[in-house]
Amino acid sequence: MRAIVAVLLLVTALHAGLWALLQEKQQAPDFTGMLPSVSYDPHEGTGAPDIGTVASLDRIRADMKQLATMTRAIRLYSSTGGVEAVPPLAAEAGLKVMLGVWITKDPERNEREIQSAINLTRHNSNVIGIVVGNETILTATQKVDELIEKIKRVKKSVNVPVTTGDVWNTWRDNPELAANVDFIAAHVLPYWEFFTSAQAVDQAVDRYQLLRQQFPGKRIMIAEFGWPSGGYNRLNAYPGPFEQAEVLRNFVSRAASIGMEYNIVEAIDQPWKYFEGGVGPYWGLLNAAREPKFSWTGPIVNPDYWKLATIALLVGVLLSLPILRIVRPTLPQAFVLAVAAHGVGAWVSTIFAYWETHYFVFGSAFALTLGVTLLVPLIFIAMARIEEIAAIALGQPPRRLLTRDAAIAAAPFAGPYPKVSIHVPAYFEPPEMLKQTLDALARLDYPNYECVIIINNTPDPAFWQPIQDHCRMLGERFKFINAEKVQGFKAGALRIAMDRTAADAEIIGIIDADYVVEPDWLKDLVPAFADPAVGLVQAPQEHRDEDLSLMHYIMNGEYAGFFDIGMVQRNEENAIIVHGTMCLIRRAAMDMAGGWSSDTICEDTDLGLAIQELGWQTHYTNTRYGQGLLPDTYEAFKKQRHRWAYGGFQIVKKHWRRFLPGRSKLTPDQKREFGLGWLNWLGAESLGVVVAILNLIWVPIVAFAGIAIPDRILTIPIIAAFVVSLAHFLILYRLRVPVRTWQMLGAMVAAMSVQWTVSRAVAQGLITEHLAFARTSKGGLSRMSIEFQAFWEAVIGVLLLVGAGTLIVTNTLQIVELYIFAAVLIIESLPFLSAVAIALLEMSRVNSFAFWRNSAVRTAELIGLRPVWVPELAGSLPQPATVTAQREKV
């Protein structure tokens, strides 16, 4: 334990060291003087100007007093709508005022603006100039001659300099405009012209010199210069707090050296400008809370840096504490888990920093809150997967796993073997398939067992008569029941089987109708019940028909992952999932749990959890003691997964109260395993679909409206979680699942392909209480549907790809966040496209192994080779299956 604590402290120290190492410091010239002028807008909040958003007189007065410590003058952009209160309040603070006249295409408003500016100039001696219109030529709000007329009119009415404010090239291209103003008020904003922060000052000085050369002797003022502290890049122009501080400190120093007259845009952040490409709110020297965003002297640093570091470290330490509860963790395992915990801490710190430094309208605040809320379970799932990787790759080997040679042999019965009653429920199952199951049961190497075969709700004698005859042939050990109008689906049939079970049977075995068991199934596993605390022993599923097609091949690989990875790890915490077939249950435990229940369609998992809630021990072996059949078609595969997901959601609704303190005998580790399991399967799949659809809705907003772009705090975690999931699948399959590479990759596609199916099941679980039990078609009874089995998956997948392409094509400004967002959409499309790929595979010739075998033969013949059978390589590819005559008949 001391070593583990030392590892956690080491990771914490390394994390703190990284913060210290990565702390950004920049140097820039100190500035201790007064700025000549800054732009000021008294509108507050996130509403558009002129809608009652002008600050109160007390707020404006306080602003003037604060700005008087920074600047000698302010520039306004309007003279109506409450802004006319600013000049007299500025005079109280000793500030000069450059008035603004806001010009639009509304003649009546323009007239009010002009008259107000004239009156303010006449009654406020601190007015030093008037700017008629702001970028009206750039925005085509006014023609040059129209604007000149307004300027001339104002000049005749006041005795202060009059001009207009526009970008530098407007002045360059319209010399007649310069001839009719008292001075040139040029806007030079390098960010909007794609210059880097390092180039910004040189660009401003260059434009200033250009105008001086073009208009010698004319007074020239850079009426707007600034750099945003937040928002998104435009090509190589990256906003940011460090960039803003560096640009402005370099600019004022350079301007002073050449005697440049200038005005900084702007004094205070304006959150209502959120529509200006994301950077609009962040041009201020002060934030909206009137706090300085940087210091004008000394190194440029983030004053909140160590507060953010503290948050990251605290969260990392808190998330690392559960490592101390792991039984026998290795040092590498603890190190990996601690690093992951501190990575989440850094993400939380980033969210805090973003929330503190950004402004939100309702929509953006809602989007961020929703996004973070949806990401929290995703982060927990990723952490759980990292924990599983660390446990399997770096931790101790499994301790509780039953094996043939160790745990099973170590617990022999002292007395006679207990009687086992094996129950085989069947519903419209192919008789020949079921006969194989019964024949295998007859060969069991165990002295004391019976078999109860119950065919339910199957009136066609062609399905039950051959089985009845076969049971008679096999002997009195086999009890046959043909029950019609059984209520409660499979659980109802199993309840009838319990009624016909021998009174002295102590253990109940459950197998599906398609399972051919090994002779030593009972001989090996029943001894585990020598421990009276053991209530249940589960063996994995295996399938004998993976060689029917390429689709069956990859489906079997997908099933294997659950039984060789997840179940083995869950068994370590006595938290296995009971999956019906190849299961042995102590009769006393079953009776205590209430037996088979029909209030869920996953009666096996429901009963298994109820047994564990009573405190019984459960055991698992990953040794294959039987082989069943895979779903006939992709449609059947999806229906089976839908039933499992819907039933799983029913179980959550039924059992969640028993996870509360004192409501059951479940241990904290069991509760955690089941909780994470439900979150991982039901939550991750459903949330993935929800997030994908929400992102689709967001695409046209960011691609065409340009008012909001998903930030990296929302997009990078999705990519990171995908990378973790990919690593989890590949690493653990390599370590635990004995399949070949192509089967592993196919299994990954199969696993992703059911995301839409699982999400539909969860949605139905939210709005319905019970769905009919759907039998999984096996044994060749179901043929491939003529309908394409991934229609909605194809629609959503294609839309996600189109959305990603739209973001990339329309991203002419090369905004990094848009590229990341596009990558997220591509990742989110993969589960949907996986479903499309499998549906297409099922419909194609390449689904047949015979196709690949014949293709190989033809290729060999074309190049002059004679195919040679190499026994050592016989297992490198699955061999084509021979379909039985009975299956063809059915």
Side-chain angles (χ1 to χ4, degrees):
M1 182 59 70
R2 286 195 296 270
I4 298 302
V5 172
V7 169
L8 301 189
L9 293 175
L10 172 64
V11 173
T12 303
L14 291 174
H15 189 192
L18 276 176
W19 279 91
L21 183 65
L22 298 176
Q23 183 180 19
E24 189 174 1
K25 287 186 179 181
Q26 295 181 8
Q27 300 296 327
D30 291 343
F31 177 72
T32 57
M34 297 284 285
L35 296 170
S37 177
V38 296
S39 296
Y40 176 74
D41 191 318
H43 294 94
E44 290 188 316
T46 57
D50 293 338
I51 311 181
T53 58
V54 172
S56 66
L57 295 181
D58 288 341
R59 165 59 79 184
I60 296 174
R61 182 177 284 109
D63 286 346
M64 294 302 101
K65 288 181 180 180
Q66 185 172 7
L67 293 179
T69 65
M70 302 167 53
T71 184
R72 292 188 290 270
I74 60 172
R75 176 188 169 186
L76 301 177
Y77 290 85
S78 175
S79 295
T80 62
V83 182
E84 59 268 32
V86 176
L89 294 176
E92 293 178 9
L95 287 171
K96 303 296 183 181
V97 176
M98 181 81 70
L99 284 178
V101 176
W102 191 258
I103 298 297
T104 68
K105 293 187 177 182
D106 182 356
E108 293 184 3
R109 169 168 179 164
N110 294 344
E111 182 62 26
R112 290 196 304 271
E113 283 280 337
I114 290 173
Q115 287 299 328
S116 180
I118 292 172
N119 291 333
L120 287 171
T121 302
R122 291 173 176 174
H123 293 90
N124 293 276
S125 60
N126 62 326
V127 174
I128 58 174
I130 300 176
V131 181
V132 181
N134 187 70
E135 298 183 353
T136 56
I137 304 303
L138 174 67
T139 59
T141 303
Q142 294 278 294
K143 295 180 180 178
V144 173
D145 55 347
E146 293 173 337
L147 182 59
I148 289 174
E149 288 301 315
K150 291 178 175 61
I151 292 170
K152 288 180 177 179
R153 179 184 167 193
V154 174
K155 287 174 66 175
K156 292 177 182 178
S157 304
V158 298
N159 57 2
V160 296
V162 179
T163 187
T164 187
D166 219 312
V167 294
W168 64 270
N169 48 295
T170 294
W171 296 100
R172 179 197 64 187
D173 299 338
N174 299 280
E176 68 275 24
L177 185 61
N180 286 280
V181 297
D182 294 320
F183 66 97
I184 293 173
H187 298 173
V188 182
L189 297 168
Y191 168 82
W192 292 113
E193 297 188 59
F194 315 114
F195 288 93
T196 67
S197 58
Q199 299 168 327
V201 175
D202 289 337
Q203 190 253 356
V205 171
D206 178 76
R207 300 307 184 260
Y208 174 72
Q209 299 292 2
L210 181 149
L211 293 176
R212 286 187 63 182
Q213 293 172 9
Q214 184 172 355
F215 305 105
K218 193 80 172 183
R219 177 189 168 194
I220 297 174
M221 176 185 186
I222 301 300
E224 279 191 1
F225 179 86
W227 195 267
S229 64
Y232 306 103
N233 69 291
R234 290 170 61 85
L235 298 180
N236 294 320
Y238 285 84
F242 282 88
E243 289 80 1
Q244 182 187 51
E246 182 183 21
V247 167
L248 291 179
R249 285 174 59 171
N250 280 316
F251 175 76
V252 298
S253 175
R254 190 86 165 269
S257 68
I258 62 175
M260 180 194 296
E261 188 178 354
Y262 63 87
N263 171 77
I264 297 295
V265 61
E266 57 193 322
I268 302 168
D269 280 349
Q270 299 297 306
W272 59 268
K273 294 182 180 179
Y274 61 88
F275 53 84
E276 292 183 358
V279 299
Y282 305 106
W283 292 84
L285 302 176
L286 309 175
N287 62 25
R290 275 59 178 176
E291 299 167 337
K293 290 157 73 172
F294 61 88
S295 173
W296 288 93
T297 59
I300 302 171
V301 297
N302 179 1
D304 295 327
Y305 187 79
W306 286 109
K307 179 170 71 175
L308 300 176
T310 301
I311 292 172
L313 290 168
L314 284 176
V315 174
V317 169
L318 289 174
L319 293 179
S320 297
L321 293 180
I323 299 172
L324 300 175
R325 297 185 66 254
I326 299 176
V327 179
R328 299 188 307 153
T330 65
L331 297 185
Q333 179 184 2
F335 181 83
V336 169
L337 295 179
V339 168
H342 281 273
V344 175
W347 176 66
V348 172
S349 176
T350 305
I351 294 174
F352 182 83
Y354 187 89
W355 191 270
E356 287 289 301
T357 58
H358 286 71
Y359 309 109
F360 302 96
V361 296
F362 172 79
S364 59
F366 176 79
L368 178 64
T369 303
L370 178 63
V372 172
T373 302
L374 293 175
L375 282 177
V376 168
L378 185 68
I379 296 300
F380 275 111
I381 291 167
M383 290 284 288
R385 288 174 176 170
I386 292 173
E387 180 180 356
E388 199 164 46
I389 293 173
I392 293 174
L394 304 172
Q396 302 287 350
R399 296 173 297 113
R400 299 185 76 249
L401 187 65
L402 294 180
T403 63
R404 291 179 188 268
D405 301 326
I408 298 170
F413 281 102
Y417 283 98
K419 187 167 188 175
V420 178
S421 182
I422 302 170
H423 297 173
V424 185
Y427 168 72
F428 277 106
E429 302 291 355
E432 292 304 313
M433 178 190 77
L434 186 50
K435 286 181 182 179
Q436 293 180 45
T437 299
L438 301 181
D439 290 341
L441 290 174
R443 295 191 295 268
L444 283 173
D445 184 14
Y446 189 79
N448 193 14
Y449 73 98
E450 68 171 7
C451 298
V452 180
I453 296 86
I454 176 166
I455 296 183
N456 69 95
N457 301 323
T458 308
D460 187 349
F463 285 88
W464 62 262
Q465 187 65 58
I467 303 305
Q468 183 181 44
D469 296 340
H470 201 68
C471 287
R472 289 172 179 166
M473 185 268 293
L474 290 174
E476 62 181 14
R477 191 191 295 271
F478 288 78
K479 299 178 181 179
F480 175 81
I481 305 172
N482 182 22
E484 297 184 7
K485 298 181 181 179
V486 176
Q487 300 295 318
F489 311 111
K490 182 179 178 180
L494 289 171
R495 284 196 297 269
I496 296 174
M498 285 297 299
D499 293 338
R500 297 284 298 274
T501 296
D504 60 341
E506 300 179 40
I507 298 169
I508 308 299
I510 310 296
I511 65 168
D512 285 345
D514 59 311
Y515 262 77
V516 174
V517 298
E518 298 292 330
D520 53 359
W521 172 44
L522 298 182
K523 181 183 68 174
D524 283 354
L525 297 186
V526 168
F529 288 93
D531 181 355
V534 173
L536 187 149
V537 175
Q538 178 71 66
Q541 295 182 22
E542 186 56 84
H543 307 94
R544 61 183 185 273
D545 59 343
E546 72 169 21
D547 57 351
L548 277 177
S549 68
L550 188 56
M551 188 193 71
H552 283 75
Y553 185 58
I554 63 178
M555 279 197 302
N556 198 35
E558 194 268 343
Y559 285 115
F562 172 77
F563 296 109
D564 286 330
I565 301 171
M567 286 288 282
V568 173
Q569 292 309 114
R570 295 176 67 96
N571 182 59
E572 294 300 291
E573 307 298 343
N574 187 31
I576 63 173
I577 296 173
V578 178
H579 46 83
T581 192
M582 302 304 298
C583 179
L584 297 173
I585 307 173
R586 189 184 295 273
R587 189 172 189 172
M590 180 183 291
D591 291 341
M592 287 179 62
W596 299 104
S597 173
S598 297
D599 55 2
T600 76
I601 59 175
C602 285
E603 71 294 324
D604 42 16
T605 305
D606 178 29
L607 178 61
L609 179 55
I611 289 173
Q612 292 173 78
E613 288 168 347
L614 293 171
W616 291 92
Q617 291 290 306
T618 62
H619 283 293
Y620 176 73
T621 176
N622 64 347
T623 302
R624 271 56 172 173
Y625 285 101
Q627 294 181 325
L629 297 177
L630 291 158
D632 285 334
T633 63
Y634 184 47
E635 180 182 19
F637 177 66
K638 291 174 64 177
K639 285 183 177 180
Q640 182 188 63
R641 200 57 56 97
H642 183 279
R643 186 180 80 244
W644 290 352
Y646 185 85
F649 196 79
Q650 287 180 310
I651 291 170
V652 172
K653 292 193 292 185
K654 177 178 178 179
H655 288 262
W656 70 267
R657 292 177 183 83
R658 299 173 195 173
F659 281 65
L660 299 176
R663 300 296 293 272
S664 72
K665 293 183 179 180
L666 289 175
T667 67
D669 289 330
Q670 286 177 308
K671 293 177 181 179
R672 176 182 175 277
E673 285 296 328
F674 277 102
L676 284 175
W678 288 327
L679 181 65
N680 184 29
W681 190 31
L682 304 180
E685 304 290 356
S686 303
L687 287 177
V689 172
V690 170
V691 172
I693 292 175
L694 289 175
N695 284 339
L696 273 179
I697 296 172
W698 210 248
V699 167
I701 297 175
V702 303
F704 302 112
I707 62 173
I709 299 171
D711 197 85
R712 300 178 205 192
I713 60 172
L714 298 180
T715 52
I716 289 182
I718 296 176
I719 297 175
F722 172 76
V723 172
V724 168
S725 297
L726 187 63
H728 176 269
F729 195 97
L730 297 178
I731 293 173
L732 299 193
Y733 256 72
R734 278 299 186 195
L735 293 175
R736 283 281 177 85
V737 186
V739 297
R740 298 176 180 86
T741 300
W742 287 111
Q743 189 173 15
M744 175 184 69
L745 297 177
M748 183 166 60
V749 174
M752 289 192 295
S753 75
V754 291
Q755 183 184 64
W756 174 251
T757 300
V758 172
S759 66
R760 284 180 53 248
V762 172
Q764 288 176 313
L766 288 170
I767 61 178
T768 63
E769 289 298 323
H770 209 88
L771 291 179
F773 183 93
R775 172 190 175 274
T776 301
S777 178
K778 300 178 181 179
L781 275 183
S782 176
R783 295 187 177 183
M784 187 179 69
S785 172
I786 61 173
E787 296 179 359
F788 182 63
Q789 289 302 308
F791 173 77
W792 286 109
E793 292 95 325
V795 170
I796 298 174
V798 169
L799 286 176
L800 287 166
L801 290 182
V802 170
T806 301
L807 291 174
I808 294 171
V809 170
T810 60
N811 190 17
T812 56
L813 298 177
Q814 298 179 18
I815 299 173
V816 173
E817 275 77 3
L818 280 181
Y819 287 130
I820 298 176
F821 189 25
V824 167
L825 295 179
I826 294 172
I827 288 173
E828 290 175 335
S829 73
L830 295 179
F832 302 99
L833 299 180
S834 295
V836 174
I838 293 184
L840 292 174
L841 171 66
E842 184 180 43
M843 299 170 63
S844 68
R845 287 194 305 156
V846 298
N847 189 37
S848 168
F849 282 125
F851 170 84
W852 294 101
R853 180 193 59 188
N854 296 334
S855 296
V857 171
R858 286 194 297 269
T859 301
E861 291 173 347
L862 285 173
I863 60 176
L865 296 178
R866 182 172 59 86
V868 177
W869 176 254
V870 183
E872 291 79 4
L873 300 180
S876 62
L877 285 176
Q879 301 304 308
T882 301
V883 182
T884 65
Q886 178 63 33
R887 186 175 300 165
E888 290 176 346
K889 177 182 176 182
V890 173

